[in-house]
Amino acid sequence: MLAIPALGATASLLAACGDAAEPGTTPEPTTPPTVPHPTGASDAVLRIAYEGGFVPMEYNFRRLPTLLISGDGRAFVQGAVPAIYPGPLLPAINVRTIDEVGLQILLALARTEGLLATPPDYSLPDGIGIADASDTVVELYANGTVYRHAANALGMDGTSTPARDALNRFVQKATALDATVGSAHLGAEGPFAADEYRFMALQVDPSTYTTEPLPTVVDWPASTGVVLASASECAVATDDAVGDVFRSANELTFLDRKSTRLNSSHITISYAVFCLKKK
């Protein structure tokens, strides 16, 4: 794979150093070398997300990337969320295709902004500290490596530095896919259906919920092969096993199984996120 960009770079060099064009003619434009990247359905090429800040652990677990592009040419973005409480348990995720030309446009933009290189210093200027602000994280999987850039409070007033500005420009352009890549290189956007879910379970005391709406308790399917009491970090279950339960659940749905109760006043709530696997 590394031979391809080397060949492209050589061809460009020869075009620049070869015979000069005749007067009055326009030299043929040179094509920049392509950037090699993973191509698998479960591989990532680009991930833009917000992490950290003063939020509960389970909130960070459920936080979705703003943009995630897989190696097989799918762009995942956050879908519309109903302005209701309790909202649905499962996150709203939309997906569309992006062709290789579109991917190379994004990777070329990353190269132009200096992101396909060792991350620079993204420290806030003049010792500014914004402890409760999240980090903007950009991960690029290319050239056989991972370039991870993380900047706290990116884009906020008074936080500008050349390195932070370059990262912010890339984030703004990459997340505006239609304007940056062009509709000719993008497919129609539609809801994403996962075939597996990654989730975690937390023990809660329902007696602490005293105001409307009250939680709803539903049985945890015994056929999942997952014991909720043991799913304190990250468990996996198929859509066939838990999809109906998750899709009908909301943020105040408690998933319970008598064998997992610590005592009669404790049941289990599950927070679910999706696995990047095509159905």
Side-chain angles (χ1 to χ4, degrees):
M1 294 180 68
L2 294 179
I4 297 176
L7 178 60
T10 302
S12 299
L13 181 63
L14 291 175
C17 300
D19 295 337
E22 295 182 6
T25 64
T26 301
E28 288 293 326
T30 59
T31 302
T34 59
V35 178
H37 61 80
T39 57
S42 296
D43 296 326
V45 177
L46 170 62
R47 177 180 174 269
I48 300 176
Y50 296 93
E51 300 177 357
F54 284 160
V55 294
M57 175 268 294
E58 59 269 20
Y59 179 88
N60 263 328
F61 184 86
R62 296 185 66 190
R63 185 181 276 177
L64 293 172
T66 302
L67 174 64
L68 177 66
I69 297 181
S70 61
D72 63 341
R74 289 176 295 155
F76 298 85
V77 297
Q78 298 178 22
V81 179
I84 58 174
Y85 180 79
L89 177 66
L90 288 181
I93 303 166
N94 289 341
V95 63
R96 67 196 309 187
T97 58
I98 177 170
D99 65 17
E100 183 62 23
V101 173
L103 267 174
Q104 289 299 326
I105 290 173
L106 291 176
L107 291 170
L109 177 61
R111 180 171 51 203
T112 298
E113 297 292 1
L115 303 186
L116 298 185
T118 301
D121 182 6
Y122 290 116
S123 298
L124 290 159
D126 302 324
I128 295 174
I130 309 177
D132 58 346
S134 61
D135 294 342
T136 300
V137 178
V138 174
E139 292 176 345
L140 290 147
Y141 299 74
N143 298 323
T145 189
V146 181
Y147 306 97
R148 189 179 192 276
H149 305 263
N152 180 249
L154 188 69
M156 293 183 65
D157 291 343
T159 66
S160 176
T161 68
R164 292 168 61 84
D165 291 347
L167 183 62
N168 195 36
R169 281 194 302 270
F170 177 79
V171 170
Q172 297 305 314
K173 291 180 180 179
T175 52
L177 282 178
D178 289 280
T180 301
V181 171
S183 58
H185 304 299
L186 297 166
E189 189 173 292
F192 171 68
D195 62 0
E196 287 184 347
Y197 300 90
R198 291 176 182 162
F199 58 95
M200 63 184 297
L202 303 176
Q203 297 292 335
V204 295
D205 183 351
S207 66
T208 62
Y209 292 80
T210 58
T211 59
E212 298 289 344
L214 294 174
T216 301
V217 180
V218 299
D219 289 334
W220 176 247
S223 59
T224 62
V226 176
V227 178
L228 284 179
S230 302
S232 60
E233 293 185 0
C234 191
V236 178
T238 66
D239 180 71
D240 291 339
V242 300
D244 290 342
V245 173
F246 282 171
R247 279 186 288 272
S248 62
N250 62 43
E251 294 173 293
L252 282 179
T253 300
F254 289 1
L255 304 174
D256 180 42
R257 187 159 177 78
K258 289 183 174 59
S259 62
T260 68
R261 288 191 182 184
L262 297 182
N263 55 55
S264 59
S265 66
H266 285 75
I267 54 180
T268 306
I269 185 171
S270 174
Y271 299 89
V273 295
F274 75 102
C275 286
L276 182 57
K277 291 196 175 182
K278 191 173 182 180
K279 194 167 184 177

